[in-house]
Amino acid sequence: MTDLAPASPRVVVIGAGIVGCSLADELTARGWTDVTVLEQGPLPAPGGSTSHAPGLVFQTSPSRTLSAFAAYTVEKFRSLEVEGLPCFNPVGGLELATTEERWAELHRRAGYAAAWGIRGELLTARRCKELWPLLDESKILGGFHTPDDGLARAVLACRAQQARAESRGARFLERHTVTGIERADGRVTAVVTDRGVFPADHVVSAAGFWGPVVGRMAGVDVPLLPLAHQYAKTAPLPELAGVNDPRKEASRPILRFQDRDLYFREHTDRIGIGSYAHRPLPVNPFTVPSYDEAPVMPSSLAFTPEDFAPSWEDCLELLPALAGSAIEEGFNGVFSFTPDGMPLLGEARSLRGFWLAEAVWVTHSAGVAKAVAEWMVDGRPAVDVHECDHTRFEDAQRSPAYVRDRGARQFVEVYDVLHPLQPMEEPRPLRVSPFHARQRELGAQFLEGGGWERPHWYEANSPLAEGIALPERDAWSARYWSPIAAAEARATREKVALYDMTPLRRLEVSGPGALAFLQRMTTNNLAKKPGAVTYTLLLDESGGIRSDLTVARLATDRFQIGANSRADEDWLLRHAPADIHIRDITSGTCCIGVWGPLARALVQPLTRDDFSHQGFGYFRARETYLGHVPVTAMRLSYVGELGWELYTGADLGLRLWDTLWEAGQEHGVIAAGRSAFNSLRLEKGYRSWGHDMTAEHTPYEAGLGFAVRMDKGDFLGRAALERAGEPRRRLTPLLLDDPAAVVLGKEPVYVDGRPAGYVTSASYGYTLGRCVAYAWLPPLAPGSAVHIEYIGEKVPATVAEEPLFDPEMSRIRR
């Protein structure tokens, strides 16, 4: 008698575009062979975005995740062919600079490429013309060449992957329009079409710009805006006659003229031109005609020459040879944008087994499919995907108006030079703390994150900056920065400052099994008396850091958690038993961080409780009153100074601010912003999840082994940590050697002249008089010399011992 192999889960993929075909291939390669791909149009070109995609694949992105997706897409498609035709043509990519601002940006992009392991080289204008003879060399300053980029033949790649998936048992059904999603007990059970019902254990929406339509059937929000994008082809050019093999179509690099929102690629003897320079053209996915009703196909709308006319003039300026040609054909192709320009991936908690793989471009398609397949089969993707997790948006960011406004803005900004701190312009302000009016009175300079207005410094503190000697900054690092941040950091170190910590997420976990649940979910020991606060980690099954938390035990069965994102709440809810209640209390509460050596002198007179070090120790919590305001006080500090986080209801927030502000006048209290906060936390070596560590990293690699208690019993991820060997990389503190040098993050780090890692977070350390940078590097001894590439310049830095500031912790514990 033989054991029967376990049955493969039944998977239905909605959409046979490049994502659906790639996913079917990836799933069947992992042994999930009961895969049905449903497509409403005819195969192999059913009329979605894939069917008209020009196929440009540029791998380099400020997002390490998107670059990893694109790199895998290139690797995979280069191995595929159909009837002797390759699915990828590695002609390379060439991005041009016609302004000094863009030339500096290309240096930064070259840095991203080096950091992420992508081959790239900055070229002179003459060398650019050698690669693209039609260029007017006098118009360009230089270019960034990536030889491994190229053109994906999306429909061919669909055919190749469909054939492989079918050979393993998958089936592809054309002309099946999905009309409903069936469910029972919170799980998906079937997909209903106009030609029958298909039972399913898992359903993946890979419907492209129809994603919101499928999402509505499943009761799952899909914050995605379809937009039309212009693409045109010239008439045949004499200069291209006989240059290109018709089977490959192109031999010269795909070209990006981002200063005019244009890109170019060869089509044998013609040039294809894509433009983002026109007005946003939103499309309602619920009214898109079917394949048979569409004049060409659903994703191809009529060309609007009036929108393209200014771009044609820009084309003639860059490529004078086009003056003897004309636009012979064109269309407005529909594809997807999200409020932040990133994909929407992951399983819906409200409907288990229903997955999203939406807002994915051809560039990232195979990489996304691999990640989603790993997620479904293995429980987690190998690449960090928190930037793409569909749970990332706040409720305030999911309104149709927000998705429309921000999606359209993403289209406008697709080729813009964007600073990493650059806030969105609309809609603002959206979310404000109860202290907003007082902050405006103090001249707060607000940036934005998660929809929140966040003060980065206060103009009221400008007199304090007088006389502080600081190195002069370059224009890029000086953007969204002020020397006032140095004054606010100094005031925090020397006196006392108020920090608005309201945007940090707060969860309440309660119920008779709350302690046992949190012990099982986190790494540190939470079995402490009420009043204890513990720093701990959320891990996945592989030991990767999903998040870091502060957990305050306020009562026997009630905990308050300081978390990072909506994904933390989602993760806990997915694992919570029925007797656990998890509630997001962020919007109904607020928080002020009171930090500095005079923090106790400010707070103690406002309460009858003992706030001395003996009476209120470090990492302790207490529910008390400050003046007339009930507060939950936690003795925590993320700036390396004495102080408390003070929480109260949003309705009492303004009263709390005024109470602290009035009491602090005799102590020289100031309001301080995120710019100073980030500098102080890096001097202290405090990590920022999502920047310094992600699910790709273990606690021991990230220097957070102190938050792991292997002797407390079992917890999620423990078995993986037991199997882990010595770390082959570490989150490493660096001090820049030159006191005037500054880096911002994501720059490549060179060891012995070769790229060895990348910067995660960086800020000038005003107390130390040096820029502090944390980077993922191979294990290096303190004192080791490295170089960080900043806008084309190799900046020397030295591996430091941490914490860099107050290693004895004397300033916090006093």
Side-chain angles (χ1 to χ4, degrees):
M1 186 173 181
T2 58
D3 294 332
L4 294 176
S8 172
R10 299 167 299 177
V11 180
V12 174
V13 178
I14 301 173
I18 192 64
V19 178
C21 292
S22 297
L23 181 58
D25 183 42
E26 296 289 338
L27 285 171
T28 55
R30 287 165 175 78
W32 281 24
T33 56
D34 190 351
V35 175
T36 301
V37 182
L38 301 175
E39 174 52 60
Q40 62 183 345
L43 295 175
S49 300
T50 299
S51 300
H52 72 246
L56 283 69
V57 178
F58 281 89
Q59 298 173 79
T60 306
S61 166
S63 166
R64 181 170 171 269
T65 298
L66 288 188
S67 290
F69 287 162
Y72 182 77
T73 301
V74 169
E75 175 189 346
K76 184 176 187 180
F77 287 3
R78 287 188 75 154
S79 70
L80 300 176
E81 65 175 39
V82 176
E83 298 173 357
L85 293 175
C87 294
F88 187 80
N89 185 0
V91 294
L94 180 60
E95 303 177 56
L96 302 176
T98 60
T99 65
E100 292 292 346
E101 183 183 30
R102 181 68 62 179
W103 187 225
E105 172 71 359
L106 293 189
H107 281 76
R108 286 187 289 271
R109 289 183 64 79
Y112 298 144
W116 314 147
I118 298 165
R119 289 202 303 156
E121 180 184 11
L122 291 163
L123 303 180
T124 64
R126 175 172 295 181
R127 178 63 182 138
C128 291
K129 185 172 178 61
E130 290 173 1
L131 292 175
W132 251 85
L134 301 187
L135 287 172
D136 181 348
E137 180 183 349
S138 69
K139 295 293 193 295
I140 59 179
L141 301 178
F144 176 50
H145 180 229
T146 44
D148 299 321
D149 290 339
L151 294 167
R153 287 175 153 174
V155 174
L156 279 186
C158 284
R159 289 177 59 189
Q161 293 178 101
Q162 175 182 341
R164 294 205 310 196
E166 287 176 331
S167 72
R168 304 182 191 117
R171 57 177 176 166
F172 286 70
L173 302 177
E174 62 181 1
R175 300 288 189 175
H176 281 66
T177 300
V178 174
T179 59
I181 308 293
E182 293 186 349
R183 67 199 86 173
D185 300 322
R187 284 202 63 90
V188 69
T189 58
V191 175
V192 182
T193 77
D194 57 351
R195 298 176 65 177
V197 177
F198 296 84
D201 303 302
H202 297 272
V203 173
V204 184
S205 178
F209 60 80
W210 285 284
V213 179
V214 175
R216 180 176 292 183
M217 296 178 195
V220 174
D221 180 43
V222 181
L224 173 161
L225 178 70
L227 286 154
H229 158 59
Q230 291 201 300
Y231 193 78
K233 290 181 182 179
T234 67
L237 295 173
E239 292 84 353
L240 293 182
V243 170
N244 295 313
D245 179 352
R247 290 170 59 84
K248 293 186 176 181
E249 291 190 340
S251 58
R252 291 166 182 163
I254 45 177
L255 191 67
R256 288 212 278 198
F257 183 20
Q258 289 141 305
D259 290 324
R260 294 293 186 273
D261 295 312
L262 292 166
Y263 63 82
F264 306 85
R265 58 152 294 184
E266 295 173 314
H267 290 276
T268 311
D269 60 351
R270 305 164 187 256
I271 292 179
I273 306 166
S275 172
Y276 292 97
H278 56 84
R279 62 194 168 95
L281 300 168
V283 174
N284 184 346
F286 293 89
T287 61
V288 174
S290 67
Y291 187 93
D292 293 324
E293 295 172 341
V296 180
M297 56 182 170
S299 65
S300 182
L301 307 182
F303 191 62
T304 49
E306 65 278 9
D307 288 313
F308 195 79
S311 291
W312 180 244
E313 295 302 317
D314 292 331
C315 294
L316 298 179
E317 180 181 350
L318 183 69
L319 304 172
L322 295 182
S325 185
I327 296 301
E328 194 167 83
E329 60 180 284
F331 65 96
N332 291 356
V334 183
F335 65 142
S336 306
F337 282 82
T338 58
D340 61 2
M342 299 293 285
L344 299 170
L345 310 179
E347 183 189 26
R349 181 174 43 81
S350 59
L351 183 59
R352 298 293 181 89
F354 183 82
W355 295 78
L356 295 179
E358 297 291 8
V360 181
W361 295 5
V362 171
T363 301
H364 312 114
S365 55
V368 163
K370 177 175 180 287
V372 173
E374 291 169 339
W375 210 341
M376 296 173 71
V377 176
D378 305 325
R380 68 181 294 274
V383 174
D384 168 59
V385 294
H386 82 273
E387 295 175 306
C388 310
D389 193 318
H390 74 97
T391 66
R392 67 189 180 272
F393 295 116
E394 304 290 333
D395 289 341
Q397 297 173 302
R398 290 178 170 271
S399 70
Y402 187 94
V403 173
R404 180 193 65 238
D405 292 348
R406 292 305 306 153
R409 190 64 194 171
Q410 287 296 325
F411 179 91
V412 171
E413 295 178 347
V414 72
Y415 279 168
D416 287 1
V417 176
L418 300 177
H419 193 277
L421 292 177
Q422 185 168 330
M424 65 182 187
E425 297 177 4
E426 297 287 343
R428 289 184 66 197
L430 183 62
R431 307 177 79 188
V432 298
S433 77
F435 327 127
H436 187 69
R438 297 293 184 265
Q439 292 166 341
R440 293 183 62 185
E441 291 168 4
L442 293 170
Q445 298 300 300
F446 293 99
L447 300 184
E448 182 271 342
W452 288 100
E453 294 295 311
R454 299 187 177 196
H456 272 241
W457 67 85
Y458 294 83
E459 290 295 332
N461 296 327
S462 59
L464 301 179
E466 297 175 5
I468 296 180
L470 292 173
E472 186 175 347
R473 289 203 173 202
D474 66 278
W476 187 250
S477 65
R479 197 178 298 185
Y480 306 110
W481 173 85
S482 169
I484 294 172
E488 294 176 359
R490 174 182 286 185
T492 307
R493 292 277 188 241
E494 296 178 353
K495 294 183 179 181
V496 62
L498 306 184
Y499 288 82
D500 182 1
M501 306 301 288
T502 300
L504 300 184
R505 182 167 301 279
R506 293 172 289 283
L507 305 175
E508 183 182 79
V509 179
S510 60
L515 174 61
F517 168 65
L518 291 174
Q519 283 282 76
R520 187 172 69 256
M521 294 300 298
T522 70
T523 60
N524 214 332
N525 186 10
L526 307 181
K528 303 170 183 176
K529 294 179 180 179
V533 182
T534 306
Y535 178 80
T536 188
L537 306 172
L538 286 179
L539 305 183
D540 61 24
E541 292 84 351
S542 71
I545 303 171
R546 284 193 57 92
S547 189
D548 63 339
L549 313 173
T550 52
V551 181
R553 191 175 191 184
L554 301 180
T556 302
D557 58 359
R558 179 167 60 90
F559 296 80
Q560 181 172 311
I561 296 177
N564 285 297
S565 70
R566 284 181 63 98
D568 296 344
E569 178 188 14
D570 185 82
W571 181 255
L572 292 173
L573 285 167
R574 286 176 185 274
H575 291 84
D579 64 343
I580 300 300
H581 183 62
I582 299 173
R583 185 167 64 102
D584 187 330
I585 60 173
T586 309
S587 296
T589 57
C590 59
C591 178
I592 299 175
V594 183
W595 291 312
L598 301 182
R600 183 175 288 116
L602 189 160
V603 174
Q604 183 62 81
L606 300 174
T607 180
R608 296 180 179 181
D609 285 332
D610 183 2
F611 271 56
S612 69
H613 182 61
Q614 294 74 26
F616 197 151
Y618 190 53
F619 266 82
R620 299 291 298 173
R622 176 178 297 168
E623 293 178 313
T624 184
Y625 289 86
L626 294 182
H628 297 90
V629 182
V631 299
T632 299
M634 298 186 195
R635 191 168 167 198
L636 307 174
S637 175
Y638 287 94
V639 299
E641 295 292 338
L642 170 69
W644 288 265
E645 291 180 357
L646 303 173
Y647 299 88
T648 193
D651 57 332
L652 291 164
L654 192 58
R655 185 60 179 264
L656 176 61
W657 179 280
D658 289 344
T659 299
L660 295 168
W661 187 257
E662 181 179 348
Q665 291 307 300
E666 64 179 289
H667 304 294
V669 71
I670 67 161
R674 296 289 299 182
S675 187
F677 175 88
N678 198 46
S679 170
L680 296 170
R681 72 100 180 164
L682 280 169
E683 289 185 329
K684 195 62 185 165
Y686 292 143
R687 278 64 167 145
S688 173
W689 186 85
H691 295 94
D692 299 318
M693 72 278 191
T694 69
E696 290 186 19
H697 309 110
T698 70
Y700 305 120
E701 293 174 326
L704 298 176
F706 67 88
V708 179
R709 294 290 182 268
M710 299 295 283
D711 58 353
K712 75 162 188 171
D714 194 25
F715 58 85
L716 188 61
R718 175 195 168 115
L721 294 186
E722 289 178 329
R723 296 190 300 268
E726 280 296 309
R728 292 180 293 177
R729 58 183 175 178
R730 293 187 185 277
L731 187 60
T732 305
L734 305 174
L735 277 176
L736 274 62
D737 295 350
D738 182 353
V742 174
V743 298
L744 300 181
K746 298 188 177 181
E747 296 89 356
V749 182
Y750 291 76
V751 178
D752 297 329
R754 304 185 61 161
Y758 58 92
V759 174
T760 58
S761 295
S763 178
Y764 199 84
Y766 302 110
T767 316
L768 302 173
R770 292 282 193 283
C771 183
V772 180
Y774 271 77
W776 281 105
L777 292 169
L780 296 171
S784 298
V786 302
H787 287 83
I788 304 172
E789 183 179 329
Y790 178 71
I791 315 184
E793 180 183 354
K794 298 290 198 318
V795 180
T798 302
V799 175
E801 287 198 71
E802 60 177 345
L804 305 172
F805 176 78
D806 188 27
E808 298 83 15
M809 301 286 285
S810 60
R811 299 177 70 91
I812 292 177
R813 294 191 173 105
R814 60 177 168 182

